[in-house]
């Protein structure tokens, strides 16, 4: 089968991947579509260290091909969106409703793939850049069959991360003010999450002025090409209740903190290099300000994916509008180049 493999600094589309049958508690999925997220590019450029060879991709949707023993919530033929969260379901964190904090869901990559007798790692417990992938049952969430799989693919990372950061982590409330730095795939989902939450003012910031129209479509009330304090404070004289950094640059993390009002919170979603350090004025934090890390939108995927699918059906959550371009998997190099240069909000690989 076909898939995108990263090995020893080289990325290629191969056609000789193999995958094992599902074991107990596992689901084999025929992948129909997979979004290309910057986290995939970060593995390629070394920003995210990951063992290789690895089958890339972590944002996908498809049709269940087979299930292992003990799986009852999905069956062959069901349409599913895939999450990256291979949590155990039984530890103290899972029991508290915090599956993103499950230690068995972090840093334990499996190797269900093989190629020419060599086993390959699975990226983010998902590897959606393959015609078939194998996930834990908890990662496969049944969705309505009428939801286009090219759109459903984006729920499993971009939507869970961006909308989830707003609703689950920051808990943005009606009337709040929000600044979103970066209007890419994650930033657009933060923007629409803030709109869904009832934020009064939503300021989108992106250096590319061409992104203004789509940012406003998703819910931005204002658009700036610079996150300078002067520009933002012309709109929000006292600063923002919430500032989301969606780019992954340390100077923008500092900017997000500096833009906060009293009792404001900066939420970090962008991914800089693993060794990157950011600074801030300690004295600025004493007015009850907070800096919040956020893993995967603090999501509970079995609950949240079903919720977002319903919001999509009601017209309140935008998915189709996120898909800027679809690419045959053989055109991965072009899709990656378009994503790297910001030509697309979200490119989707199709099989």
């Amino acid at each position: 089968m076909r898939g995108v493999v990263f090995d020893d600094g080289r990325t290629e589309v191969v056609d000789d991947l193999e995958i094992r049958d599902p074991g107990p508690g596992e689901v084999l999925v025929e992948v129909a579509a997979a979004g290309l997220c910057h986290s995939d590019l970060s593995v390629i450029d070394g920003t995210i260290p990951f063992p290789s060879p690895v089958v890339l991709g972590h944002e996908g949707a498809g049709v269940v091909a087979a299930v292992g023993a003990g799986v009852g919530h999905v069956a062959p033929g069901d349409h599913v969106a895939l999450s990256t969260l291979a949590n155990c379901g039984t530890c103290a964190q899972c029991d508290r409703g915090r599956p993103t904090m499950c230690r068995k869901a972090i840093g334990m990559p499996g190797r269900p793939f093989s190629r020419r007798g060599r086993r390959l790692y699975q990226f983010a417990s998902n590897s959606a850049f393959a015609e078939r992938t194998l996930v834990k049952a908890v990662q496969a969430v049944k969705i309505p069959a009428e939801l286009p799989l090219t759109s459903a693919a984006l729920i499993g990372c971009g939507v869970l991360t961006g909308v989830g950061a707003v609703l689950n982590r920051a808990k943005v409330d009606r009337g709040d003010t929000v600044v979103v730095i970066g209007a890419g795939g994650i930033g657009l989902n933060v923007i629409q999450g803030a709109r869904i939450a009832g934020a009064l003012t939503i300021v989108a910031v992106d250096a590319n002025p061409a992104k203004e129209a789509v940012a406003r479509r998703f819910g931005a009330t204002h658009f700036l090409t610079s996150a300078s304090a002067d520009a933002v404070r012309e709109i929000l004289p006292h600063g923002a209740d919430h500032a989301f950094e969606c780019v992954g640059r340390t100077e923008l993390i500092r900017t997000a903190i500096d833009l906060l009002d009293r009792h404001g919170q900066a939420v970090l979603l962008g991914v800089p290099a693993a060794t990157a350090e950011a600074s801030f004025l300690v004295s600025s934090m004493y007015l009850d300000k907070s800096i919040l890390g956020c893993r995967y939108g603090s999501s509970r995927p079995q609950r949240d994916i079903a919720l977002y699918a319903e919001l999509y059906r009601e017209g309140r959550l935008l998915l189709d509008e996120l898909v800027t371009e679809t690419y045959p998997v053989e055109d991965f190099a072009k899709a990656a180049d378009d994503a790297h240069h910001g030509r697309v909000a979200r490119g989707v690989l199709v099989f």
Side-chain angles (χ1 to χ4, degrees):
M1 68 178 182
R2 293 170 297 169
V4 180
V5 174
F6 175 71
D7 186 13
D8 195 25
R10 182 168 179 261
T11 307
E12 62 178 328
V13 180
V14 304
D15 60 6
D16 55 355
L17 279 179
E18 297 179 355
I19 193 166
R20 63 174 175 81
D21 293 332
E26 293 180 331
V27 178
L28 182 67
V29 178
E30 295 269 5
V31 179
L36 179 54
C37 174
H38 276 275
S39 293
D40 300 301
L41 302 181
S42 294
V43 174
I44 295 171
D45 67 21
T47 301
I48 296 178
F50 204 88
S52 65
V54 57
V55 180
L56 294 175
H58 65 286
E59 186 181 69
V63 180
V64 175
V67 300
V71 177
H73 74 292
V74 293
D78 285 345
H79 287 208
V80 292
L82 303 177
S83 88
T84 68
L85 206 56
N87 58 295
C88 71
T90 59
C91 69
Q93 296 294 344
C94 287
D95 192 51
R96 291 177 181 137
R98 301 172 185 164
T100 56
M101 296 297 102
C102 175
R103 285 178 169 79
K104 292 189 177 180
I106 303 174
M108 301 178 68
R111 292 195 289 175
F113 299 95
S114 61
R115 182 181 183 227
R116 300 174 183 173
R118 188 183 184 193
R119 296 174 68 193
L120 285 75
Y121 286 99
Q122 187 170 36
F123 180 54
S125 302
N126 190 304
S127 290
F129 292 171
E131 288 186 276
R132 288 189 168 200
T133 193
L134 193 65
V135 297
K136 290 182 67 172
V138 72
Q139 296 176 256
V141 184
K142 187 175 179 179
I143 58 175
E146 64 267 26
L147 203 166
L149 290 171
T150 49
S151 298
L154 305 185
I155 300 177
C157 178
V159 176
L160 279 176
T161 299
V163 179
V166 173
L167 302 182
N168 300 329
R169 185 67 169 127
K171 293 181 170 55
V172 173
D173 203 356
R174 292 167 296 173
D176 282 356
T177 58
V178 175
V179 173
V180 183
I181 302 174
I186 298 299
L188 289 175
N189 279 298
V190 173
I191 290 168
Q192 71 170 332
R195 169 178 52 79
I196 291 168
L200 182 64
T201 304
I202 305 170
V203 182
V205 181
D206 198 288
N208 183 355
K211 292 186 177 180
E212 179 173 2
V214 68
R216 290 186 180 276
R217 175 73 180 90
F218 275 70
T221 59
H222 300 75
F223 184 89
L224 299 171
T225 55
S226 169
S228 70
D230 289 342
V232 172
R233 290 185 187 278
E234 284 188 15
I235 303 165
L236 301 173
H238 300 296
D241 296 317
H242 312 273
F244 295 82
E245 200 284 333
C246 305
V247 180
R249 288 168 46 187
T250 54
E251 67 272 22
L252 294 178
I253 291 172
R254 170 61 183 267
T255 297
I257 297 167
D258 289 345
L259 292 176
L260 296 177
D261 193 1
R262 298 182 178 189
H263 204 272
Q265 50 189 17
V267 184
L268 311 186
L269 296 177
V271 182
T275 57
E277 296 183 0
S279 64
F280 59 91
L281 289 174
V282 176
S283 60
S284 72
M285 302 302 295
Y286 291 114
L287 293 171
D288 282 4
K289 298 181 184 181
S290 305
I291 303 170
L292 304 181
C294 184
R295 180 170 189 254
Y296 203 42
S298 301
S299 298
R300 287 176 277 176
Q302 287 289 336
R303 181 203 67 168
D304 290 351
I305 290 176
L307 169 63
Y308 300 152
E310 186 58 32
L311 289 173
Y312 168 82
R313 291 171 69 173
E314 294 178 358
R316 298 167 61 191
L317 181 85
L318 305 182
L319 290 177
D320 304 337
E321 295 82 355
L322 282 168
V323 183
T324 311
E325 188 76 46
T326 57
Y327 307 83
V329 68
E330 290 80 8
D331 289 345
F332 173 78
K334 182 179 187 309
D337 189 66
D338 286 349
H340 175 72
H341 288 96
R343 302 186 191 105
V344 293
R346 216 35 150 216
V348 176
L349 300 179
V350 293
F351 292 91

